[in-house]
Every structure is written in structure tokens, then in C-alpha cells.
């Protein structure tokens, strides 16, 4: 599995979006006896922290030790550096398995085999993520040009699953129809730039060309954004499946 996120791992905790409270309340409503959850690809622990009030124990794994080191430490969250496709968890352990903005990096066949092994009967697998941010027509157009024309060839091939809103990933589970959730924030310009700098394609561009591609659009982007805060929306990507044994 690729590790694009150990470098500058503190920036992910600062600038990456989280997920709405209503989503976690909804998840809790689906699980009658929430004992044990696995946050797979936890990154800096954003989802694990939100699951911790609902579950007795949350196990959070990632291949990046640097990311896990940025995660909040709570008594019922157990962090470990493990690949999604092969863990040391016992069989039939989890009531819930969540993968947030990470499944596109996994070997689907091997990961789903691990899901089936470690999940309890009728446990839920929840795949969640977010698409390209939306701010305004003008700003969105600038970011779209940046995304497609400037750093387009620097995206890993797996990124297409995000662009396709996770609808094209293999998903061999009994799917549950989920409601739509709004994922919105108020950001200033510095937060926007901080977020864009966490994009893996930006890092690949810098590594290849020794310059930050955001420098090519920063002036125009700043002019369009202005000095105020802006409403930023992320389309929420969500698929929920039941693991039936």
C-alpha cells in the first residue's frame, strides 16, 4: 500500500475536513449493541475520536506511524501500525468497520477478506469520504483548472475512485441505503491553501519539479477568495454494507 501521508503529517490534523456529528449519530443508531469498532486507515484519528463515545473500544490502524503520532490519545482508542489487508485482530471481533478517505488505496480483495474475517455476523462496513470542495463558481473553476490541468498527471491512479464518488469500487456486501449528510465549514484563505497543500498530487509535483504548483494560482485564488471567510462544502461520499456470514 502506498504511503503518501507520512510527510508533514501534522498538516493533515490541521487542515483536512472531518465528518458531521449527525453522521456519527446515524451510525450509532444502526448498531444496537456497539461494543467494538475498527477505524481502518485512521490517519490522525479523526474518526476514531468520534466513534469513542459510542463504543466500548475503538481499534484504529494505519500504515503511517507519523500520522498515528498526531492522533489524540483516549483511553478506549487503541492505535497500531498495521496494513488494512493483514491485521492481528481475532476473528469475529468488530461490530463496525469504518474506512474514511482511504479505501481507494487498499487492495480490495485482500481487505474485504480481512473484513469478513474480523467482523461479527451482521456487522457493518462503512466507507466514507469527501469529493472535491465547492466554494463559489469562480473559485471552483480556478481549483478545477489546478486539479485537472496543472497537477492532473501527478495524481495516483487510485484517485479516480474519489472522482467517481466511490460508486465504482467493488462492494460485495448487502448494501444499506443511507441518507445524505452535509459537510460544510467556514474557512479563511490560509486554511484553503493549507488544505490544498495536503493533496498527494501537490506533493508529487513538488518532488518532481522542486516548486510548489500552488504558486502558479495563488495570486488569482487569493483575489477570488478575498479577505473574508468563505462557506466551503465537501460532497460526502458514503456506502454502507452489512457483513453477512
Amino acid at each position: 500500500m502506498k504511503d503518501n501521508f507520512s510527510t508533514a503529517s501534522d498538516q493533515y490534523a490541521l487542515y483536512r475536513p472531518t465528518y458531521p456529528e449527525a453522521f456519527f449519530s446515524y451510525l450509532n443508531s444502526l448498531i444496537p449493541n456497539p461494543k467494538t469498532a475498527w477505524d481502518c486507515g485512521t490517519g490522525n484519528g479523526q474518526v476514531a475520536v468520534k466513534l469513542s463515545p459510542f463504543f466500548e473500544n475503538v481499534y484504529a490502524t494505519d500504515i503511517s506511524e507519523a500520522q498515528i503520532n498526531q492522533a489524540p490519545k483516549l483511553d478506549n482508542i487503541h492505535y497500531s501500525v498495521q496494513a488494512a489487508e493483514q491485521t492481528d485482530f481475532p476473528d469475529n471481533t468488530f461490530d463496525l468497520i469504518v474506512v474514511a478517505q482511504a479505501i481507494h488505496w487498499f487492495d480490495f480483495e485482500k481487505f474485504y477478506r480481512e473484513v469478513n474475517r474480523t467482523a461479527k455476523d451482521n456487522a457493518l462496513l462503512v466507507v466514507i469520504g469527501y469529493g472535491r470542495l465547492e466554494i463559489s463558481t469562480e473559485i471552483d473553476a480556478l481549483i478545477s483548472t489546478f486539479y485537472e490541468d496543472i497537477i492532473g498527471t501527478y495524481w495516483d491512479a487510485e484517485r479516480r475512485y474519489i472522482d467517481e464518488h466511490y460508486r465504482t469500487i467493488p462492494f460485495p456486501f448487502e448494501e444499506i441505503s443511507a441518507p445524505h449528510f452535509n459537510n460544510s465549514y467556514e474557512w479563511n484563505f490560509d486554511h484553503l491553501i493549507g488544505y490544498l497543500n495536503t493533496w498527494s498530487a501537490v506533493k508529487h509535483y513538488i518532488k518532481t519539479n522542486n516548486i510548489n504548483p500552488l504558486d502558479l494560482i495563488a495570486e488569482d485564488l487569493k483575489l477570488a477568495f478575498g479577505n473574508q471567510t468563505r462557506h466551503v462544502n465537501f460532497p460526502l461520499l458514503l456506502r454502507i454494507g452489512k457483513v453477512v456470514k
Side-chain angles (χ1 to χ4, degrees):
M1 180 177 167
K2 297 176 183 177
D3 181 4
N4 288 331
F5 307 105
S6 288
T7 304
S9 56
D10 58 324
Q11 301 304 297
Y12 293 89
L14 286 172
Y15 296 118
R16 282 287 177 120
T18 56
Y19 299 94
E21 295 293 338
F23 162 71
F24 293 101
S25 296
Y26 170 71
L27 276 192
N28 187 48
S29 74
L30 295 178
I31 302 172
N33 191 25
K35 297 285 188 182
T36 310
W38 175 18
D39 177 20
C40 182
T42 190
N44 55 55
Q46 291 176 342
V47 169
V49 168
K50 295 296 186 181
L51 294 175
S52 65
F54 301 119
F55 288 83
E56 293 181 7
N57 288 285
V58 177
Y59 293 84
T61 63
D62 203 282
I63 61 168
S64 171
E65 185 174 5
Q67 284 277 6
I68 285 178
N69 287 341
Q70 298 295 324
K73 307 303 187 286
L74 299 177
D75 288 344
N76 68 332
I77 301 179
H78 313 281
Y79 293 101
S80 59
V81 178
Q82 300 194 69
E85 299 86 352
Q86 185 175 5
T87 69
D88 59 11
F89 299 128
D91 296 353
N92 305 307
T93 296
F94 300 112
D95 304 289
L96 172 70
I97 298 172
V98 178
V99 185
Q101 200 73 359
I103 199 167
H104 50 289
W105 301 115
F106 296 175
D107 181 310
F108 295 116
E109 183 178 354
K110 291 179 180 178
F111 173 61
Y112 290 152
R113 189 158 56 239
E114 193 70 351
V115 167
N116 280 294
R117 183 185 71 79
T118 60
K120 297 176 183 176
D121 188 29
N122 291 317
L124 295 184
L125 170 65
V126 175
V127 174
I128 190 170
Y130 45 85
R132 203 182 311 176
L133 72 172
E134 302 163 344
I135 303 175
S136 72
T137 301
E138 183 181 7
I139 296 170
D140 294 354
L142 286 169
I143 293 175
S144 181
T145 297
F146 177 70
Y147 184 98
E148 296 168 6
D149 299 337
I150 297 177
I151 62 171
T153 59
Y154 294 87
W155 287 109
D156 294 276
E158 295 89 342
R159 176 70 191 191
R160 71 179 179 86
Y161 292 115
I162 296 270
D163 292 334
E164 294 160 354
H165 290 189
Y166 282 158
R167 302 318 302 176
T168 57
I169 65 170
F171 202 69
F173 301 95
E174 182 181 316
E175 191 149 8
I176 297 171
S177 180
H180 172 75
F181 293 95
N182 194 39
N183 201 27
S184 298
Y185 305 89
E186 298 296 323
W187 281 4
N188 59 27
F189 181 72
D190 288 342
H191 198 124
L192 172 64
I193 290 297
Y195 166 68
L196 295 176
N197 267 308
T198 68
W199 280 3
S200 57
V202 170
K203 294 182 178 182
H204 294 331
Y205 188 105
I206 292 171
K207 184 176 181 179
T208 300
N209 300 290
N210 295 314
I211 61 169
N212 191 325
L214 282 167
D215 294 343
L216 302 175
I217 66 161
E219 186 174 339
D220 290 339
L221 197 56
K222 173 65 174 174
L223 185 63
F225 196 97
N227 293 319
Q228 75 272 43
T229 59
R230 291 270 193 167
H231 186 76
V232 179
N233 183 68
F234 286 87
L236 202 64
L237 320 180
L238 178 60
R239 299 190 73 174
I240 301 177
K242 183 180 290 188
V243 183
V244 179
K245 297 189 174 183

